[in-house]
Each structure stands twice: as C-alpha cells, then as structure tokens.
Amino acid sequence: MSTAASGRLILLGAPLGNPADASPRIAEILRTADVVAAEDTRRLQRLAREIGVSPEGKVVSYFEGNESEREAGLMEVLEAGFTVAVISDGGMPSVSDPGYRLVRAAIDAGVPVTSVPGPSAVTTALAVSGLPCDRFCFEGFPPRKPGARRQLFASLAAEQRTMVFFESPHRIEATVADMRDEFGAERPAALCRELTKTYEEVRRGTLAELADSVVADAPRGEITLVVAGAEPPEPAELSDADIAEAVAVREADGMSRKEAMSEVAQRHGLKRRDVFDALLRAKEDEDDE
C-alpha cells in the first residue's frame, strides 16, 4: 500500500452496462487504489475482468445497508494516508448511490476528494429523451408510499425544468399513473431502461401513452424517467391598481420596493419595467382623484 502524506478519496463513474465505456483512468485507479469500496463486489470483479485489470488493494463491500458502519473504517484508511476508491453498480457514487456520507466525512476531515468522471444515467437519459436539456432537475427515486409519491408530484406540477427520476420495475406502473394524474395526461415524457445495455429501450410519448404502455408491456431492468417541465404561466391580466397593491403588500412584509417589484413581476409573468410603469400610472390615477 502507498504511504502518501495525505490520503485521497476517489469517486469512480462506472459504466451503466457496457464495460467498453470504462475509461483508462478507471482501470488504472481500480488497479492501484489501496482500498476499493464497491456497491456490489461481484459486479466489480466482473467489470475488472472485462476491462482487464486486477485490483491490487483490498476490496470491500459498500452499499446502502452498510454505508454508515463502513464509514469509520474507510475514514481511518484515508486519514492514515491511503487512497480509497468508491464505485457503484453504474454511474457516479453519491447520486442516488452510496458515497455521500463518506464524501462529507472526508471533506470535514480535510481529506482531498476527487472523481474520475464517467457515464451517468441522469444525463444519458436526458440526452436521448428528446426533451429540453438546457434546464433540468434530478429528483431521484420517488417515495414508495402512494400518498407521499402523489404529494411530491403535486408539488412539482408547476416545475418548468425538465425532471429526471429513477424508478424500479416493481413500482413503475403506479408511478407513471400518478405522474399522469398530477402532471397531466398530455405532458411529454420518456421512459428509458437498461441504458447502454443489450436490451436498451426508450419509450417516448405523453404520460397517458406511457401509462398505457407499462400496463401492456411491463418494463424490466433499471429505469430512468424523463418528464417535460410545465409550460410557463400566461402573463396575468392585472390592473395597475392590482399591481400596486401586490407591491404594497410585499413592502409591508419588509421587502424593499425593488425586491417587491421583482417578485410581483416574476410571479405574474411580467417584465419589471411593466410593474414600474403600472406603479406610476396607479400613482397618477390616485393623485387625480
């Protein structure tokens, strides 16, 4: 093992399914790291064979069920000056996979944290979905309980960015049905499964069409859902007096005039100049009275 003055935590972006996507740097780090913490040690062994490397360091399991108890031991290794590499089954550790707690602990302890970038199911699905990619948000796995899941979707119904979710085959039917009900049947979406693997499939359509599709032909494997954001609200038809009142209410709550004008403009789909002009006209009307 190395005896560097400072240890180093390296997050490895693992192939989603096709081992040819593994970079030479991943192969080198897997070979030379003092400890490799793998979400599934059997998958790691298979990947190592396929890319022609043999880890020289210790390989330990590091998954959701033992993440907390592994943290102390891995931190001891890092603080002793050794290199720890973390690899998940696919994609980047910490993104809906084990890794966040260890990253946080390493940062707090002053241990350098870096990564070897690799494939991501989030951006891969987004890119092939055919939906807008300029602004998006990642929501991870929706809640398992129906009530909490519907509540989450209801809170996201007005989200204008494209949304990306993970889901399991066991809950996909209920999840897409809830999305249809909360986001609207005509909302465009894409269901991506087994990305980069032999049976890769992308189903595109409205949420109503996807809901029917998963009932007729239940998808298997790892699933990423991409859902279009909500359409921007139509500019509100407000009178000058209405706009002046909205600004006054916010000023009474402690906002500055500038902040109040900006919020009213954003909330009602107006330009800030429109709000300013409306305030002037409202003041003129008030003075005329």
Side-chain angles (χ1 to χ4, degrees), residues 75-250:
M75 283 303 303
E76 286 182 8
V77 173
L78 289 166
E79 291 176 325
F82 300 114
T83 295
V84 173
V86 176
I87 187 166
S88 65
D89 291 346
M92 184 62 68
S94 295
V95 182
S96 284
D97 276 325
Y100 167 75
R101 292 182 179 86
L102 185 59
V103 169
R104 187 67 260 169
I107 291 171
D108 291 343
V111 173
V113 179
T114 186
S115 70
V116 177
S120 165
V122 176
T123 53
T124 301
L126 184 67
V128 302
S129 69
L131 298 173
C133 303
D134 53 337
R135 297 177 66 242
F136 71 93
C137 58
F138 174 55
E139 293 293 331
F141 283 92
R144 297 186 179 190
K145 295 184 178 180
R149 186 170 59 239
R150 288 192 293 270
Q151 185 176 10
L152 171 67
F153 293 158
S155 72
L156 292 171
E159 173 60 64
Q160 294 181 32
R161 294 172 294 179
T162 299
M163 297 170 282
V164 184
F165 302 84
F166 288 161
E167 191 51 287
S168 74
H170 310 294
R171 292 188 296 276
I172 190 63
E173 183 177 331
T175 291
V176 176
D178 287 342
M179 286 180 170
R180 175 198 61 204
D181 295 343
E182 299 297 339
F183 295 153
E186 297 305 310
R187 183 80 69 94
L191 185 155
C192 310
R193 74 175 190 93
E194 296 291 270
L195 289 167
T196 78
K197 300 178 184 177
T198 302
Y199 298 105
E200 174 178 300
E201 178 188 18
V202 180
R203 305 183 190 183
R204 302 177 182 87
T206 65
L207 283 172
E209 291 169 339
L210 289 183
D212 291 341
S213 169
V214 297
V215 171
D217 180 16
R220 299 179 181 179
E222 298 179 353
I223 298 170
T224 305
L225 282 164
V226 186
V227 182
E231 292 293 330
E234 292 291 332
E237 301 237 354
L238 299 175
S239 68
D240 293 341
D242 291 335
I243 293 174
E245 182 180 358
V247 171
V249 167
R250 286 160 176 77

Side-chain angles (χ1 to χ4, degrees), residues 242-252 256-257 260-261 264 275 279:
D242 291 335
I243 293 174
E245 182 180 358
V247 171
V249 167
R250 286 160 176 77
E251 287 184 295
S256 68
R257 169 63 64 95
M261 289 170 59
V264 169
V275 175
L279 291 177

